[in-house]
Amino acid sequence: MNGKELVSLALEARRRAYTPYSGFQVGAALLASDGIVYTGCNIENAAFTPTVCAERTAFFKAVSEGRRAFAAIAVVGGPGGKEPEEFCAPCGVCRQVMMEFCDPDTFKIYLGKSDRSVREYTLKELLPLGFAGEGVNRA
Ligand code: THU
């Protein structure tokens, strides 16, 4: 599974975003170390704060299904109804969730506009000096 393939899966997941309030639609595809991919989309709420990002949807699906080791995530996002025109970087809360389960030196974050336009980062590049407590899971 390479970055382009993961971005394609994230674009597919983005179609399922529930965004009646912002109209900003995000998709994510998270590759577990055993090769299984967990997708996610953002899910908004009338009370606003219960809204969850696409990345955390994917992580929480994976962890709740027993996965704790991850290789990479692809993220795509932008205003609904058209293809993404900009790269959509994960918010700070999602970066911190990645920090809990992923090695910042090796975990890859692919940002895509399409499967022909992909940028690759490590978690460390997007979250320098990230906090990982004593109990952090680095399976
Ligand atoms: N959002 C994500 O799903 N992931 C990101 O990385 C950035 C923001 C969502 C949250 C909200 O539903 C919408 O995009 C606008 O902030």
Side-chain angles (χ1 to χ4, degrees), residues 14 19 22-26 77-86:
R14 178 175 177 254
T19 62
S22 76
F24 193 89
Q25 305 200 309
V26 185
K82 54 184 180 177
E83 295 306 307
E85 289 170 1
E86 308 289 340

Side-chain angles (χ1 to χ4, degrees), residues 33-101:
S33 299
D34 59 5
I36 300 177
V37 174
Y38 293 87
T39 59
C41 59
N42 52 334
I43 303 168
E44 299 187 341
N45 189 278
F48 291 178
T49 51
T51 292
V52 66
C53 291
E55 299 90 322
R56 274 175 291 147
T57 301
F59 264 92
F60 296 158
K61 280 170 68 179
V63 173
S64 66
E65 297 288 329
R67 301 295 164 311
R68 291 200 183 167
F70 302 101
I73 191 168
V75 183
V76 299
K82 54 184 180 177
E83 295 306 307
E85 289 170 1
E86 308 289 340
F87 293 104
C88 174
C91 80
V93 172
C94 289
R95 293 179 205 203
Q96 185 63 33
V97 168
M98 293 174 197
M99 192 72 194
E100 186 71 20
F101 294 104

Side-chain angles (χ1 to χ4, degrees), residues 5 8 28 50:
E5 290 168 324
S8 293

